[in-house]
Amino acid sequence: MVLDESKIPTHWYNIVADLPEAPPPPLHPGTREPLTPDDLAPLFPMGLIAQEASTERWIEIPQAVRDIYRLWRPSPMIRAWRLEQELGTPARIYYKYEGASPVGSHKTNSAVAQAYFNKEAGRTKLTTETGAGQWGSALAFACDVFDLECEIWQVRSSYEGKPYRHVLMETFGATVHSSPSDLTQAGRSFQERFPDTSGSLGMAISEAIEVAAADPNSSYSLGSVLNHVLLHQTVIGQEALQQLAEFGEEQADVVYGCAGGGSNLGGLTLPFLRENLDGRTSTRLVACEPKAAPSLTEGEYRYDFGDTAGMTPLLKMYTLGPDFVPDPVHAGGLRYHGMAPLLSFVKHLRMMDAISVKQREAFAAGVLFARTEGIVPASESNHAIAGALREARQAAEDGTSPVIVIGVSGSGQLDLPAYSEFLAGDMADS
Amino acid sequence: MVLDESKIPTHWYNIVADLPEAPPPPLHPGTREPLTPDDLAPLFPMGLIAQEASTERWIEIPQAVRDIYRLWRPSPMIRAWRLEQELGTPARIYYKYEGASPVGSHKTNSAVAQAYFNKEAGRTKLTTETGAGQWGSALAFACDVFDLECEIWQVRSSYEGKPYRHVLMETFGATVHSSPSDLTQAGRSFQERFPDTSGSLGMAISEAIEVAAADPNSSYSLGSVLNHVLLHQTVIGQEALQQLAEFGEEQADVVYGCAGGGSNLGGLTLPFLRENLDGRTSTRLVACEPKAAPSLTEGEYRYDFGDTAGMTPLLKMYTLGPDFVPDPVHAGGLRYHGMAPLLSFVKHLRMMDAISVKQREAFAAGVLFARTEGIVPASESNHAIAGALREARQAAEDGTSPVIVIGVSGSGQLDLPAYSEFLAGDMADS
C-alpha cells in the first residue's frame, strides 16, 4: 500500500499540544533553570529552537522539504501475509517500511528538515557525530541537497569496522573523520588520555560540538532525542494511520517500534497517541528496546545529562545514568543511556508500554522476517519485529486476531556482518 | 509514481510473437542441429523449456508468482526533477527503479518465476553460479519462498572480496560455496590446474551444472541470457509504459538500459519495442554496455558458446568470443562475453542501438545521480545513467526536451567499495 504523493503530510504533528500537562522543561546544566532559546542559539538555528519549545499542534512542513520527501515518501505500508502464514497466526500484521529512503532508514525525515532550517538561517555547514552510521549518512544526503558543507565524526570502531557506511557519506559529498581525531582539542585530549580507544559516541559528540560552536556559520545537528527531531519523524505515523484506513482497518490494536534515542519510535507512535487522546482509538503503543540498553524498562525517570561528558542541558528522562556503557550489541542505533524526554514523559503518564529484547531473539525475528517478507531489516528494527512476533504468537494461542503494526525503521543491507555472526551461532545473547 | 498493486502485470510479454521473422534457434553443440526440448530436460523443468521456445505473445503469470511480486511490485517510476535541474536540461527524465526489491535488484523478477516452475515440476533443489552476487541472492530468496534447497557457487574473488553478498544469500537459507570448490569434480580439477585461481563465472557454472545434472531432483538456474529469463523481466517495461502514461507522457523518446547478459535490458525495453512495432510510438532503445565488455558495439553476430568451457548450446549472438576475458571492472553483472540471443537479434534488425561507457564515466554519473536523486545506483545501472546523461546534456545544448527513461536496475548499497575507489581517484578507466 503506497499512498499517492499528494498524501505526503503537509504538517508535522506536535504531541505537546495534546498532552494533559506540559512536559518538564530541559534545564541549564549550570543554573538548573529552564533553558531559554538563547542558551541553544550557539548550536542550533532559531527555526529549530522554536520547534523544540513549540506548543502548537501542527507545524507546517516547508514546500522545499516536502519536495525532497517525495523522493521516498509516502513510504510503503505492507500487509505481512507470508509472515502471518508462517506463524499460523490469525493476527493481521502490517509493517511501515522506512528502509527505502535514500540512505536506508527513517533518519532522512529529520535530516532534510534540519538541513533546510539551517540553510534558511544562513548557515553554511553542519557538523554531527554518528555511531552505526545511519544518521551520518542521512545528514550527508540532506546537506548535499541544500548545498551545505557536512563534517561528520564517526566513532572509530564503527569507522573501521563498517567501512561501507563512511563511503556512503562520502558519496553524498560529506567529510568523515574517525573519532577521536587530531582535528579538535577534545579529540587530541581523548587520544592522549586513552591511546588505544576505539572511540565512543560521547567523544564524537564533543568533537562535532566543538567545531560547530567555534564557527558562527556552522551548526550542530542531532539525529534523535530532542523534540524537534521527533516532530519531523511524525510523517511516519501520520502516513501509517492513512494507510491502515485504506486497508480497511478501523484501528491498530498495537504498534511496535524500536527504541534507541526515540526518533523512530516517536515518529511512528505519537500520531497514534493523538487518536487515542481524542478517544477515537484504543491502540496500545509498545517501545522495544535492547536488553543491553534498557532505559525505559530498567532506568529511572529523572533529570540527567544527554551526553557522557555532562556538557548538555539536563533532560528529564528515563536514564541508566550517563556513565552507563551498554554491551557492544549490534543495534548501534539503540545503544543510548537515556530516552527522548517527550517519550519518557508519555511513558511516565502510562500512555506507552515498553519491553526489552535480547539480541539473539531480535536477529531470529529479523531472519524470519527476511525469509518471509523478503526484506532484511536493520538491526534496530529487529527489536520491534521481535516484540510483534511475541504478540502474534500469543494471538495464535488465544485465537484472537489483533491488528499489529510494526515500524521497520530501516534496511539491514549494511548490517549483514551482524546477520553473519547470528547465522554462524557466534552472537552473544546480550 | 507507484501504481496500485492491482496494476502488476498479469502476463509476461514475449517479443518473439511480434518480430518480423523468427530468431535463429539455439544449436546442439555436438550435432549443430536446432536444440529440442528434450536436450534441455536434464537441466530445466518443462514449464521453463516451453517458455524458452514459445511463440505466444502473452504468457500468464501464475497467481503464486504475482503474490510474491506484490512484495516489491509495481516498482516505482520517478521523475528525476533534481537531476534535471542540476544538468540544466529541458529534457524530462524518468527512472524506473528496481533496487527496492528484496535483494536490491531486478533479478528477483525471474528468480521467483524460475523457483515456482521448478517447484511445480517437483524439483526440490536449485543450483546456480553467481559473480557479483545479485543473481545468487535473488535465487536464494526465491528458493526460500518456495521451500526449495538452494546451492550456489560464488566466484572466489567475489566470495572473498564481497562478503556481505554471501551473508545475504545465507540469510535467505542458501548454501554458498567459494568456487572453485572441493565439492565437484570440475572444481577439484580447476584447483589442480590453477592452484592460485580467484575463480571465474565459467568455473562456477561448471560446478553448478555438474551438481544439478547428477541429481534428478535438482535443476540448474540461469539469471540472464536465455529467452525465458528476459520474458520474466518484461514486467519492468510493462509497468514503465503504464507509469509514463499516468505521468501524462505520450511516449518515451529514448530508453536507456544497462547491458550485461541482457535480462534487465530486455525486460525494460522489449515492451517498448512492441509499442514501436505496433506503430504507436517511435521510441529509441539504447543498450549501455561497459567499454570493457563491448559485445554489442564491438562483437560479431555469430553462433557461439554461452560459457567459456564450450559446454552449452550454441547461441546466435553478438559475442567477443568465449575466450574473451574482460578487464576486472566493478560492474560484475555486465562482464559477459556475449549478449542474450533475443536482444542480439533485435539489435541485428536495427531495432535497438548500443553504446559503450568506460567505468569512470559510469561512476561519475552514479555519484551525480546519488547526490541529486538520493539513490546510490548499482555499478551496472551507472552505465545506463551515463548514457542518459549524455542525451540530457545534448538536449540542453540543442534546446530540445526529449522524454528520457532510465532503467535503474539495482541499488548500489553493496557496491560501496567501488564508489570508494572512484571517489579516491583510484579507479582504472577501463
Side-chain angles (χ1 to χ4, degrees):
Chain A
M1 168 72 64
V2 180
L3 299 170
D4 186 81
E5 271 184 23
S6 65
K7 302 283 178 64
I8 296 173
T10 55
H11 292 72
W12 292 303
Y13 168 62
N14 183 8
I15 188 77
V16 173
D18 289 318
L19 289 176
E21 48 185 303
L27 304 181
H28 191 285
T31 64
R32 306 232 156 193
E33 290 297 313
L35 220 57
T36 65
D38 286 349
D39 293 332
L40 291 171
L43 287 183
F44 300 107
M46 269 306 157
L48 294 177
I49 293 172
Q51 291 174 7
E52 189 64 24
S54 174
T55 56
E56 278 179 54
R57 180 170 292 114
W58 298 106
I59 294 176
E60 189 171 6
I61 306 177
Q63 188 57 44
V65 173
R66 293 185 81 225
D67 283 346
I68 304 303
Y69 278 176
R70 287 196 305 178
L71 294 177
W72 71 95
R73 304 215 71 83
S75 71
M77 173 175 268
I78 298 169
R79 171 91 182 255
W81 290 103
R82 299 191 67 246
L83 179 61
E84 291 172 17
Q85 201 174 10
E86 178 71 25
L87 295 169
T89 183
R92 298 198 289 286
I93 306 177
Y94 298 88
Y95 60 97
K96 176 72 172 164
Y97 183 55
E98 291 294 309
S101 93
V103 300
S105 84
H106 70 292
K107 291 289 186 188
T108 36
N109 297 327
S110 183
V112 169
Q114 292 190 41
Y116 170 81
F117 286 106
N118 274 290
K119 179 78 176 183
E120 283 296 289
R123 303 298 214 280
T124 57
K125 175 173 158 180
L126 294 183
T127 72
T128 198
E129 76 291 333
T130 195
Q134 293 272 23
W135 169 246
S137 354
L139 195 68
F141 163 71
C143 284
D144 177 46
V145 166
F146 291 108
D147 290 320
L148 296 165
E149 251 188 280
C150 185
E151 195 167 4
I152 300 169
W153 278 264
Q154 183 174 14
V155 177
R156 183 179 292 171
S157 56
S158 160
Y159 184 92
E160 290 171 358
K162 299 188 167 184
Y164 282 38
R165 276 284 169 208
H166 70 81
V167 176
L168 186 55
M169 300 179 226
E170 287 155 1
T171 300
F172 289 122
T175 305
V176 189
H177 310 293
S178 178
S179 169
S181 73
D182 293 329
L183 299 162
T184 63
Q185 206 176 324
R188 290 188 294 271
S189 133
F190 292 136
Q191 290 191 65
E192 207 169 294
R193 285 161 58 201
F194 316 104
D196 297 322
T197 184
S198 58
S200 76
L201 217 41
M203 293 181 192
I205 291 176
S206 305
E207 295 201 86
I209 288 185
E210 180 183 321
V211 169
D215 174 5
N217 295 316
S218 295
S219 282
Y220 168 71
S221 253
L222 193 67
S224 193
V225 180
L226 299 180
N227 294 1
H228 69 272
V229 186
L230 272 62
L231 178 80
H232 301 152
Q233 295 293 352
T234 57
V235 290
I236 304 173
Q238 291 185 65
E239 287 177 8
L241 283 165
Q242 289 186 70
Q243 286 164 315
L244 265 191
E246 296 216 7
F247 272 115
E249 299 292 359
E250 278 182 25
Q251 71 160 19
D253 292 303
V254 57
V255 178
Y256 285 90
C258 60
S263 81
N264 167 68
L265 180 67
L268 174 69
T269 60
L270 293 177
F272 282 90
L273 179 54
R274 169 176 154 79
E275 299 296 299
N276 282 351
L277 291 171
D278 270 8
R280 281 191 287 269
T281 57
S282 54
T283 298
R284 195 158 64 91
L285 308 174
V286 186
C288 304
E289 53 186 20
K291 181 68 183 168
S295 53
L296 284 171
T297 51
E298 298 179 34
E300 276 183 86
Y301 186 55
R302 63 173 172 86
Y303 272 103
D304 194 6
F305 292 105
D307 68 337
T308 32
M311 302 293 290
T312 69
L314 286 159
L315 306 170
K316 183 94 181 251
M317 61 182 177
Y318 282 92
T319 176
L320 300 156
D323 297 333
F324 179 82
V325 178
D327 284 343
V329 292
H330 286 285
L334 306 183
R335 293 182 64 217
Y336 184 60
H337 70 277
M339 176 55 59
L342 210 43
L343 292 175
S344 293
F345 188 55
V346 162
K347 167 75 165 51
H348 178 68
L349 296 174
R350 300 175 189 277
M351 295 173 173
M352 178 179 281
D353 294 341
I355 61 171
S356 69
V357 176
K358 288 189 180 181
Q359 68 174 350
R360 276 199 218 152
E361 181 184 347
F363 274 85
V367 168
L368 183 65
F369 191 86
R371 292 189 181 174
T372 49
E373 296 301 314
I375 285 170
V376 179
S379 308
E380 290 79 11
S381 314
N382 285 344
H383 294 74
I385 297 169
L389 292 194
R390 290 184 192 174
E391 179 101 26
R393 287 180 170 128
Q394 189 63 47
E397 276 187 31
D398 301 346
T400 56
S401 50
V403 173
I404 301 174
V405 171
I406 312 174
V408 178
S409 55
S411 151
Q413 290 256 10
L414 299 188
D415 294 326
L416 285 168
Y419 279 87
S420 176
E421 202 177 297
F422 173 76
L423 292 168
D426 295 336
M427 183 175 275
D429 200 19
S430 326
Chain B
M1 167 71 64
V2 180
L3 298 169
D4 186 80
E5 270 184 23
S6 65
K7 302 283 178 65
I8 296 173
T10 56
H11 292 72
W12 292 303
Y13 169 61
N14 183 7
I15 188 76
V16 173
D18 289 319
L19 288 176
E21 47 186 304
L27 304 182
H28 190 285
T31 64
R32 305 234 157 192
E33 289 297 313
L35 220 57
T36 66
D38 285 351
D39 293 332
L40 291 169
L43 287 183
F44 300 108
M46 270 305 158
L48 295 176
I49 294 172
Q51 292 174 7
E52 188 64 22
S54 173
T55 56
E56 277 178 56
R57 181 171 293 113
W58 298 105
I59 295 176
E60 191 171 4
I61 306 177
Q63 189 56 44
V65 173
R66 293 185 80 224
D67 283 348
I68 304 303
Y69 279 176
R70 286 197 304 179
L71 294 176
W72 71 95
R73 306 215 71 82
S75 71
M77 173 176 267
I78 298 169
R79 170 91 182 254
W81 290 103
R82 299 191 66 247
L83 179 62
E84 291 172 18
Q85 201 174 8
E86 178 72 24
L87 295 169
T89 182
R92 298 198 290 286
I93 306 175
Y94 298 89
Y95 59 98
K96 176 72 172 163
Y97 183 54
E98 292 293 309
S101 94
V103 300
S105 83
H106 70 291
K107 291 289 186 188
T108 37
N109 297 326
S110 183
V112 169
Q114 291 190 42
Y116 170 81
F117 286 105
N118 274 290
K119 179 78 175 183
E120 284 295 290
R123 304 296 215 281
T124 58
K125 175 173 157 182
L126 294 183
T127 72
T128 199
E129 76 291 332
T130 195
Q134 294 272 23
W135 169 245
S137 354
L139 196 68
F141 163 71
C143 284
D144 177 46
V145 165
F146 291 108
D147 290 320
L148 296 167
E149 252 188 277
C150 186
E151 196 168 3
I152 300 168
W153 278 262
Q154 183 174 13
V155 176
R156 183 179 292 170
S157 57
S158 160
Y159 184 92
E160 290 172 357
K162 299 188 167 184
Y164 283 39
R165 276 283 170 206
H166 70 80
V167 176
L168 186 56
M169 299 179 227
E170 287 154 4
T171 300
F172 289 122
T175 307
V176 189
H177 311 293
S178 177
S179 170
S181 73
D182 294 329
L183 299 161
T184 63
Q185 207 177 322
R188 289 187 295 270
S189 134
F190 292 137
Q191 290 190 65
E192 208 168 292
R193 285 161 57 201
F194 316 105
D196 298 322
T197 183
S198 58
S200 76
L201 217 41
M203 294 181 191
I205 292 175
S206 305
E207 295 201 86
I209 288 184
E210 180 182 322
V211 169
D215 174 5
N217 295 316
S218 295
S219 282
Y220 167 70
S221 253
L222 193 67
S224 192
V225 180
L226 299 180
N227 294 1
H228 68 274
V229 185
L230 273 62
L231 178 81
H232 301 151
Q233 295 293 353
T234 57
V235 290
I236 304 173
Q238 290 185 65
E239 287 177 9
L241 282 165
Q242 288 186 72
Q243 286 164 316
L244 265 190
E246 295 216 7
F247 272 114
E249 298 292 359
E250 277 181 27
Q251 72 160 20
D253 293 302
V254 56
V255 178
Y256 285 89
C258 61
S263 81
N264 167 68
L265 179 67
L268 174 69
T269 59
L270 294 178
F272 282 89
L273 179 54
R274 170 175 153 78
E275 299 296 301
N276 282 352
L277 292 171
D278 270 8
R280 281 191 287 270
T281 57
S282 54
T283 299
R284 195 158 63 92
L285 309 174
V286 187
C288 304
E289 53 185 20
K291 181 68 183 166
S295 53
L296 283 171
T297 50
E298 299 179 32
E300 275 183 85
Y301 185 56
R302 64 174 172 86
Y303 273 104
D304 194 6
F305 294 104
D307 68 336
T308 32
M311 303 293 289
T312 69
L314 286 159
L315 306 169
K316 183 93 182 251
M317 61 183 177
Y318 282 92
T319 177
L320 300 156
D323 297 332
F324 179 82
V325 177
D327 285 343
V329 292
H330 286 284
L334 306 184
R335 293 182 63 217
Y336 184 61
H337 70 277
M339 176 54 59
L342 210 44
L343 293 175
S344 293
F345 188 55
V346 162
K347 166 74 166 51
H348 178 67
L349 296 175
R350 300 174 189 277
M351 295 173 173
M352 178 179 282
D353 294 340
I355 61 172
S356 68
V357 177
K358 288 189 181 182
Q359 69 174 348
R360 275 200 218 152
E361 181 184 347
F363 275 84
V367 168
L368 183 66
F369 191 87
R371 292 188 181 175
T372 49
E373 296 301 313
I375 285 171
V376 179
S379 308
E380 290 79 11
S381 314
N382 285 344
H383 293 74
I385 297 169
L389 291 195
R390 291 185 193 173
E391 178 100 25
R393 287 180 170 129
Q394 189 62 47
E397 276 188 31
D398 300 347
T400 55
S401 50
V403 173
I404 301 174
V405 171
I406 312 174
V408 179
S409 56
S411 152
Q413 291 256 8
L414 298 187
D415 294 327
L416 285 168
Y419 279 88
S420 175
E421 203 177 296
F422 173 76
L423 292 168
D426 295 336
M427 182 175 277
D429 201 18
S430 322

